[in-house]
Amino acid sequence: MIPAPANVEETRREAGLRSTQPARERFAHAWRLTTRYYMSEDWKAAWFLLILYAALSLGGVYTFILLNQWQRDFFDSIEQRQSGLFITLIFTFLLISAFQVAVIVVNNLVSWTLSMRWRNWLTNWYMDRWFARDRFYEIERLRMIDNPDQRIAEDIKNFTLITQGNSLVGIGVGIIGSLVSAVSFGYILLQTSGALVIPVAGYQISLPGGDLLWFSIAYVLFGSIVITWIGRPYIRRRMREQHYEADFRTNLIHVRRNGEQIAFSRTQDMERRGLRQSFSHIRRNWYRLMWANIGLSAGSSIYERVMTVIPLFLTVPRFFAGLISFGQVMAARDAFTQFSSSLSYFVQVYPGLAVQIANINRLKALDDAIDDERPRGIAFLPGAADEGISIHVKNLELRRPNGAPLIALDEWKVCDGQRWVIEGPSGAGKTTLLRAIAGLWPDGAGSVAMTRHGTAMLVPQRLYLPMGTLKNAICFPDQAEDHDDATVQALLEKVRLGAHADDMHQLRMWQDELSPGEQQRVALARILLQRPTLLVLDEATSALDADNAAHFYEAVQEAIPEVTMVSVVHNEKLAAYHTHRLLIEDGYATKSIIETEA
């Protein structure tokens, strides 16, 4: 089971379990999120596609008007037995249908293209900000929000998906089309409406516009209020669905990544119970979502079906009285339905709008986490160390994220060419000190200045192996093409991985295939290939036996004798490969010189 985010209040707010942020903030964020792409460097294509999409949507409205007029003429010709017009009307219908199909096809092409271009730009924009200032690391370190990957992959996709008309842009264009449609079909309704007279206190008040128009407006208002009330639980349940689905996928990935450890420890039952518990949240929410959806679907279905019979109740008596033709009755029914549908556009898009509200809320939380500027207590100063000094620490106080003190270090200078070993009990803060050296730990006070010359390499205990070939893993972060095969093969022999030399071009999950000790020997190959001037090792030999651990340090010193080194080790015998010691005990660090044997 993945841990809950530290910012639980934000998660509960997203789920609708806490009061939301002020409406002005949420609307302002939704506006910025929607318009940002249309003011980007791709604005010409964005506006061209958007205008074309809107024009095609209005073209769709125009086809409905043409079909309404055709329907009135067609049924009138049948009623009056005008057989000569039948073939002409059929040919007209085919032309209108062909135009309608063309509009639909081009509309889909434009909306799909606009959706992908928008998604591509917005995804890149979020990824750039996610990686900037190591925000991806900080968000996970502090557990600020859950599943930022799902927000970037799924929420942005749904937010920009114009193809289904559920994005804010699609809804905005739909509103314009609905207004145009309402005006057009409202004019048609006026031609078949009767006067609406309301008796009030003995007086007869005649409302302008006719009965069909006013009944349609009243019906839409009533239906919109009812559908909104019915759909409120649906929005909350959709928000929770996104959370639970993302958590379940994350737990499944966790099992995949740790399959070997789970199999060795025989904890399959425990992991299965955890996954079942995670899925139980999905199941319970699914049934609640199901009932919310049933209520919303039932209300919408009743609303749409009643809409088709109301105009018949109002127009058929006038048809029997000979005041209007049968074609006008059918045209009035169609116009009433289209007019009411246009006015009730909000009811139609309510489910999609609910999804968009959830997407926007989750992206708002992601934006807040990325833009969060926590006070940086430790000043990280790359390139600010004095000449001849690789690392210069002053008045350093390392603290945990909750403010608890960890290490106090007044001053520590690592001069060029020195090799420091950092020792101390587990949990003393050795790795945290290395994170501060790398600029990844802001909690505390003091400053860390780094060398202005050469290159630095930090090797963690658990090496990162990118997906691809073994050669890619060794050459990382360089491209594999930057180094010839002979060089890499010689390195594999040097670090005692010669057995894998023939497989270095094969695509495998090397992170899973190589043992921890073999992965640390890959780290040695990287060091020998990159030849850094400053090398920081965080228990980089913890998975190696004594002989291979000694070979690790001997190979580095032989290949890069002038390297400046800082190592965290637990094996006292490895201290012999260093010149200085930093001992961390009880929150304090003491420095000493390692005496070499004569």
Side-chain angles (χ1 to χ4, degrees), residues 58-77:
L58 294 179
V61 174
Y62 180 63
T63 60
F64 282 118
I65 296 174
L66 292 178
L67 284 173
N68 181 270
Q69 295 173 346
W70 176 88
Q71 182 176 242
R72 181 190 60 191
D73 295 339
F74 181 74
F75 285 108
D76 279 344
S77 68

Side-chain angles (χ1 to χ4, degrees), residues 192-198 205-212 214-215 318:
T192 52
S193 293
L196 181 60
V197 179
I198 301 178
I205 300 177
S206 179
L207 296 180
D211 54 355
L212 286 174
W214 286 107
F215 273 108
R318 286 198 288 275

Side-chain angles (χ1 to χ4, degrees), residues 527-541:
I527 295 170
L528 300 181
L529 183 66
Q530 301 292 336
R531 301 179 63 85
T533 57
L534 173 60
L535 183 59
V536 181
L537 306 174
D538 184 13
E539 298 188 51
T541 60

Side-chain angles (χ1 to χ4, degrees), residues 215-231 296 299-300 302-304 307 343-344 346-348 350:
F215 273 108
S216 176
I217 294 174
Y219 183 72
V220 168
L221 290 175
F222 174 77
S224 299
I225 293 173
V226 172
I227 294 299
T228 302
W229 179 76
I230 294 176
L296 187 59
S300 299
I302 294 173
Y303 177 83
E304 292 172 359
M307 184 190 300
L343 292 182
S344 59
F346 175 76
V347 175
Q348 300 169 23
Y350 192 86

Side-chain angles (χ1 to χ4, degrees), residues 1 53 136 170 180 182 197 229 246 254 290 355 374-375 379 415 419 462 467-468 510 529 556 586:
M1 295 290 292
Y53 174 71
F136 69 98
V180 174
V197 179
W229 179 76
H254 174 76
M290 177 184 70
V355 175
R374 298 179 68 247
C415 298
R419 298 188 299 274
R462 185 176 179 180
M467 296 180 64
W510 293 102
L529 183 66
V556 171
D586 300 325

Side-chain angles (χ1 to χ4, degrees), residues 25 55 73 128 148 208 240 276 292 312 367 441 462 480 489 597:
E25 292 185 18
D73 295 339
D128 289 343
R240 294 313 299 156
R276 286 177 175 173
L312 296 179
D367 277 316
W441 195 268
R462 185 176 179 180
Q489 186 171 3
E597 296 182 1

Side-chain angles (χ1 to χ4, degrees), residues 148-362:
D149 54 317
Q150 186 255 4
R151 298 169 193 253
I152 294 175
E154 294 296 329
D155 292 332
I156 291 179
K157 173 187 174 182
N158 293 330
F159 179 76
T160 58
L161 195 60
I162 301 176
T163 56
Q164 296 178 356
N166 290 334
S167 73
L168 293 186
V169 169
I171 292 173
V173 172
I175 291 175
I176 296 174
S178 296
L179 292 176
V180 174
S181 178
V183 172
S184 302
F185 286 104
Y187 176 75
I188 296 174
L189 280 180
L190 290 176
Q191 299 175 0
T192 52
S193 293
L196 181 60
V197 179
I198 301 178
V200 177
Y203 294 94
Q204 301 292 324
I205 300 177
S206 179
L207 296 180
D211 54 355
L212 286 174
L213 200 65
W214 286 107
F215 273 108
S216 176
I217 294 174
Y219 183 72
V220 168
L221 290 175
F222 174 77
S224 299
I225 293 173
V226 172
I227 294 299
T228 302
W229 179 76
I230 294 176
R232 291 179 62 187
Y234 182 80
I235 295 179
R236 292 196 299 269
R237 297 274 67 85
R238 283 306 300 260
M239 290 181 181
R240 294 313 299 156
E241 180 187 32
Q242 290 177 316
H243 282 286
Y244 293 143
E245 292 285 359
D247 288 345
F248 182 61
R249 287 195 300 269
T250 302
N251 288 327
L252 289 171
I253 293 174
H254 174 76
V255 172
R256 284 182 52 199
R257 290 178 175 173
N258 300 277
E260 184 177 10
Q261 295 91 322
I262 294 171
F264 269 126
S265 58
R266 301 298 180 187
T267 56
Q268 293 92 331
D269 290 341
M270 183 182 70
E271 294 296 332
R272 187 186 300 112
R273 286 195 300 271
L275 288 174
R276 286 177 175 173
Q277 181 181 354
S278 179
F279 188 77
S280 68
H281 295 311
I282 296 177
R283 186 183 67 251
R284 286 195 297 270
N285 185 74
W286 179 264
Y287 287 116
R288 294 169 182 169
L289 179 63
M290 177 184 70
W291 286 111
N293 184 61
I294 288 175
L296 187 59
S297 299
S300 299
S301 298
I302 294 173
Y303 177 83
E304 292 172 359
R305 279 154 180 76
V306 173
M307 184 190 300
T308 61
V309 298
I310 289 179
L312 296 179
F313 295 152
L314 298 174
T315 56
V316 167
R318 286 198 288 275
F319 168 73
F320 289 150
L323 299 176
I324 58 176
S325 66
F326 183 65
Q328 288 179 307
V329 171
M330 301 306 294
R333 187 193 68 169
D334 186 59
F336 183 94
T337 302
Q338 294 295 337
F339 180 75
S340 300
S341 296
S342 300
L343 292 182
S344 59
Y345 181 73
F346 175 76
V347 175
Q348 300 169 23
V349 300
Y350 192 86
L353 188 60
V355 175
Q356 286 304 319
I357 291 174
N359 292 332
I360 292 171
N361 285 343
R362 288 174 59 78

